[in-house]
Amino acid sequence: MDLSPRLQGIADQVPAGARFADVGTDHGYLPVWLILQGRIARAIASDLRAGPLQRARETATQYGTADRMDFRLCDGLTGISPDEADTIAIAGMGGETIAMILSAAPWTRQCRLLLQPMTAGEDLRRWLGENGYRIDSERIACEGKRYYTILSVTGGEMPTQTPAELWVGKQSDDVLRGPWLDYMMAKVDRQLAGHRAAAIPDEAAISALEEVAEGIRTMRKELGS
Ligand SMILES: C[S@@+](CC[C@H](N)C(=O)[O-])C[C@H]1O[C@@H](n2cnc3c(N)ncnc32)[C@H](O)[C@@H]1O
């Protein structure tokens, strides 16, 4: 089984022997791959909805790992207790959903969290900083024209984050950092263009985004080509 670059970027950060839970597992590729590699002995695969959880069961059955997996139908971490997991992946969801899942499970400050927001990364980074989590590193993955960031997070004090750092992160020495900054710059530029074209432009939003754009441009210059 081959993982996509995004899922591989998460899998690479799961420590050997971890008590691993994949929240919002859907297809279940991540826990199944980790068990097949012998990186972990067992895994919990959870999902909010029965259909995706059934897909995970089918993947596990297909690859012969079902007897080493627990399948939990639950919202976020509500069906998982603190003594069952020390490494938790929450991937492929919006940043707000990830924050909501963590806010209902403060015990996750004792865990290694691998978070991969599809949207609203800036809201997630802000929320983490305001709620006793720190980002130790960020890894970037590219699939086609899309870039993704994977945050490796533990409990602790977050260093201050500038508005631009909230958007693009800063704890990354990934080789894809340059293209990631370009990708996010284009996203901020599109949002700015949308605001400026509005019948009644939101000047506060425009000036906040201009500050973000300036910060990303500076980071890009410092990084070089
Ligand atoms: C796009 S899929 C991502 C699947 C996989 N984690 C990945 O990254 O490829 C999102 C999954 O998260 C599940 N989900 C959404 N909100 C959730 C929640 N609050 N708790 C658990 N699962 C959730 C959805 O049912 C869906 O199966």
Side-chain angles (χ1 to χ4, degrees):
M1 172 198 267
D2 287 330
L3 293 178
S4 67
R6 180 179 65 84
L7 291 177
Q8 189 67 57
I10 301 169
D12 288 346
Q13 300 185 66
V14 175
R19 282 178 292 136
F20 181 68
D22 185 26
V23 174
T25 194
D26 194 357
H27 39 69
Y29 294 147
L30 192 51
V32 168
W33 186 90
L34 288 163
I35 293 172
L36 287 176
Q37 295 300 309
R39 180 90 59 85
I40 58 173
R42 306 187 51 82
I44 297 172
S46 77
D47 207 287
L48 179 63
R49 295 181 296 131
L53 196 63
Q54 181 55 25
R55 271 198 288 282
R57 269 199 198 90
E58 285 164 11
T59 304
T61 303
Q62 182 187 349
Y63 287 94
T65 63
D67 59 339
R68 285 162 282 168
M69 291 174 64
D70 290 320
F71 300 92
R72 309 265 171 95
L73 184 63
C74 58
D75 185 354
L77 286 146
T78 53
I80 300 172
S81 58
D83 58 339
E84 290 186 298
D86 59 18
T87 305
I88 299 170
I90 313 178
M93 295 177 213
E96 304 97 329
T97 305
I98 295 174
M100 216 147 51
I101 289 172
L102 293 177
S103 68
W107 56 268
T108 52
R109 292 195 195 96
Q110 314 301 323
C111 298
R112 167 67 51 195
L113 302 174
L114 299 169
L115 310 178
Q116 186 271 300
M118 297 302 263
T119 55
E122 64 280 15
D123 295 331
L124 178 60
R125 290 188 189 85
R126 183 181 300 107
W127 185 90
L128 290 168
E130 288 171 353
N131 287 276
Y133 296 87
R134 58 170 288 134
I135 302 168
D136 292 327
S137 63
E138 293 206 23
R139 178 163 166 174
I140 297 151
C142 175
E143 291 182 12
K145 290 186 176 167
R146 284 205 71 169
Y147 285 82
Y148 304 94
T149 182
I150 301 148
L151 285 61
S152 178
V153 170
T154 51
E157 197 178 327
M158 182 89 83
T160 309
Q161 304 178 93
T162 66
E165 287 166 351
L166 285 171
W167 276 69
V168 297
K170 63 174 168 177
Q171 294 84 350
S172 178
D173 54 7
D174 198 293
V175 290
L176 291 175
R177 175 79 172 164
W180 163 251
L181 292 179
D182 294 340
Y183 178 80
M184 291 302 288
M185 188 72 232
K187 186 172 172 179
V188 173
D189 279 344
R190 278 195 302 277
Q191 289 200 13
L192 264 173
H195 276 295
R196 286 179 181 134
I200 306 170
D202 179 343
E203 295 301 338
I206 290 173
S207 106
L209 280 171
E210 281 172 344
E211 187 180 352
V212 171
E214 188 50 38
I216 299 177
R217 256 192 297 277
T218 304
M219 285 183 209
R220 191 65 182 94
K221 266 191 221 135
E222 284 169 2
L223 189 67
S225 56

